[in-house]
Amino acid sequence: MKNTVFIPAMLLGERRDVRRRCRRYLKRVANVGRWVPDQDFLEPVPVSQATRIELLFVTLDPPGAAVVRLPLFWEELINAVLASSLGTQPNWAKLRRLTLDGLDVFWFALASLAGWPESPDLLGPDRDRFNALALGKLLRWWPHLHQVGPKFSLGGVAGRWPRWGDRAIRLAGHLAGDEGADGPAVRRLQRAEPSQARQEIESILARLPDRCSEWREPPAGVIAHWPPNPLPPVKGGGGGEACG
């Protein structure tokens, strides 16, 4: 499977430039509580232009480094949501809605590998049901995430599998009943190949009771229609379509 993978222009470049662009755009998003169109920030750029996709912060880069700054995006998104006060919607509900809507497009699923709202204060009540649906949506993009795997970087170290799937693996382990970060479900997923891990996570999600009952709202914004769209979600991805 070889497809051209695109990311928004705001994610690519030197740290100070990416932070500035993300901060400006995400402040607007957080204030209205939905994704908004903006060609200046969401202009499609082929990920092939990047030297690496950063899953962990790197302190030093050579001048002019063309890096996809995923952790920085999540830092600015969470900060923007926490700082927003427009309307009566609590911050956790706003972050949930933006996350679920965002996971309908590939680049947001890519970004979620580097940052996931895991704190109870950020996710509010009944976090497991939200996490199950969000993880199911992420699985729809799993083969495409694997495709760009050679560009993943964790603090300057190659982010080979299972490293790039660490957040999804830990979350699936928790949903499967693991009591710690090194439980049996986590170890099993770490030993599996990516396609096998996806099937195992789907099985974990399928065993959960009534995980979708509270998440039948329509998409919150336009991010799901972000052009271009050469990467259709793969069917059978953990219930994302059935629960949307």
Side-chain angles (χ1 to χ4, degrees), residues 197-243:
R198 178 174 182 256
Q199 294 175 359
E200 176 64 24
I201 296 174
E202 288 175 344
S203 298
I204 291 171
L205 295 178
R207 294 194 293 270
L208 297 176
D210 192 30
R211 68 180 186 277
C212 305
S213 62
E214 293 184 1
W215 302 104
R216 299 189 181 276
E217 298 180 44
V222 299
I223 195 172
H225 309 294
W226 178 75
N229 188 29
L231 299 176
V234 177
K235 292 186 180 298
E241 285 130 344
C243 304

Side-chain angles (χ1 to χ4, degrees), residues 56-79:
L56 289 177
F57 281 112
V58 177
T59 56
L60 296 175
D61 285 309
V67 179
V68 182
R69 312 280 182 178
L70 301 182
L72 199 154
F73 166 81
W74 268 100
E75 177 184 302
E76 292 299 328
L77 174 60
I78 290 174
N79 287 342

Side-chain angles (χ1 to χ4, degrees), residues 31 120 125 130-131 158 240 243:
N31 281 339
F130 162 79
N131 282 329
C243 304

Side-chain angles (χ1 to χ4, degrees), residues 84-103:
S84 64
S85 58
L86 185 65
T88 59
Q89 188 180 41
N91 287 330
W92 62 262
K94 189 179 296 184
L95 189 57
R96 282 181 171 187
R97 189 175 179 91
L98 290 171
T99 300
L100 291 179
D101 191 28
L103 285 168

